[in-house]
Amino acid sequence: MIQYVSNKGNGASVDFETAILAGRAPDGGLYVPTSLPRISKTQLQSWKNLSYTDLAFEVLSLFIDETTISSIELHKIIENSFDTFYHPEKIPFHSLTSRKNIIIQELFHGPTLSFKDIAMGFVVNLLDFFLKRRKEKMSIMVATSGDTGPAAAFATIGKETINTWALYPQGYITEEQERQMTTITAPNVHSVRVTNCPNGSDDLDELISSLFANTSFKQELNLSSVNSINWGRIMMQTVHYFYGYLKTVDTIGELLNFAVPSGAFGNLCAGSLAREMGLPVGKFILSNNQNNCLQRIFNEGIYVKEKVINCASSAIDISLPINFWRYLYFAIDQNPEKIKLWMEESEKNNRVEFDKNTHKQFSKGFLTASISDKLTLNTIQEVFETEGYLLDPHAAVAVAAANTVKAEFPNDSKILCLATAHPSKFSDVIKESLNVNALPAEAIHHSIENAKEYCQKIYECNYENMYQTIPKTMQVISNK
Ligand SMILES: *Cc1c(COP(=O)(O)O)cnc(C)c1O
């Protein structure tokens, strides 16, 4: 049996189904598999020509027992989860001609046009499968910096087993992202706008953590989480690293570099696990905007929680990179006692200083860059003008970061830049970058246009009273 434990080490090990249904471990830690599967070069070679969904099946099978979900069922769940994608290949690629060796992996062709769709649809379908089998229902809560909310809301439309609460901080997400959530009419999907959040979605994550810690409330609503605390999200995100590698390299074994726009570190945690499993990665280029909390962790070995700055690449405006703790667990040879101490220190003091050895160990194989909004906007403009390819602000952060550190690489080494959103979700930034009033066709998507034609359905409350109003409202709705 493949077993899962909390990275803080408390509690017994659990099976896959329990870990996915719970979202977060009871001790407040993050679920991790007790060991990671290893992939040989021969196995990688044999995966070379698989479609994205067939590859996903191969990789995920390593984490899930046949007795939990049969192969046939798993195949079906994966296929269903990618049916809603707008591109037949699910995850296509684009080579930049003006920047040699930079290849874009387009992770944004899902139903809400962000990379969050890649794992969200699957995790929600997985939950639905388990809940139906157990004849249970649950409530899920997500806080969003812009893309998690729409992805969770969309994925749960019409699911009779799930009530969804998508909390978002007013003023920190784009109008397009807001409308993606609020124009959903399904009765089980609830969008909550919270005004006056001093620190954006991190404030809402703190509310959610406190509600999870409230045992009676949690039980009453059968509360769970589909943000990147849920192991299923990370597990699914390992697949696009394998896929990107297989589609990009000339020979298996060659090292490939990845530039990743990072906020909560879920995406890069998944990449690191793929490397740990045997994927030949050269360097990970950790790409931050001006919120450079992760850069500091990797460069200086210090975590400090700082005030969030509103940036053009708003989905990575994060000061709590929760999945760093999951990555760290594997980076320091699975020592849960240490993780527990550090996680508690970070919650108490908003600051952790790692010892030299630990810092050296976890920063191996990473380069970092923190990209200003000015450079982000310039990158969008330059790439569009030179070759007619439109980057969204997050992909632009990755491309700019790759450019910043390229002197560290031999000329011919390839860098795969992960493009995590479609530009149509960030129309104001695109207009500003290109200095235009009317959007180019590349920045328009019919689903975003469509959402403009509906009324919005929103619950609203203030940051000051959200600790009372949100749980009360949830109780009333769930008991209806
Ligand atoms: C969520 C998100 C990211 C950051 O991913 P993490 O896993 O939180 O590091 C980057 N870009 C976009 C567009 C996102 O929505």
Side-chain angles (χ1 to χ4, degrees), residues 114-116 147 237 261-267 315-316 392 394 420-421:
S114 92
F115 110 97
K116 302 289 196 296
D147 286 330
Q237 288 173 26
S262 294
F265 205 68
N267 202 354
I316 53 174
D392 96 285
H394 305 83
T420 46

Side-chain angles (χ1 to χ4, degrees), residues 17-25 31 123 127 131 137-143 152 161-165 208 211-212 217-227 229-231 474:
E17 181 169 340
T18 309
I20 297 297
L21 283 167
R24 179 173 264 221
Y31 276 122
V123 170
L127 286 174
L131 290 166
K137 291 187 182 198
M138 78 170 29
S139 301
I140 59 175
M141 278 187 100
V142 292
T161 53
I162 300 173
N163 249 310
T164 304
W165 296 87
I208 293 177
L211 293 177
F212 269 76
F217 181 78
K218 184 169 177 285
Q219 271 176 2
E220 182 187 336
L221 275 90
N222 196 15
L223 203 56
S224 188
S225 174
V226 293
N227 67 10
I229 281 177
N230 194 306
W231 163 252
M474 289 176 69

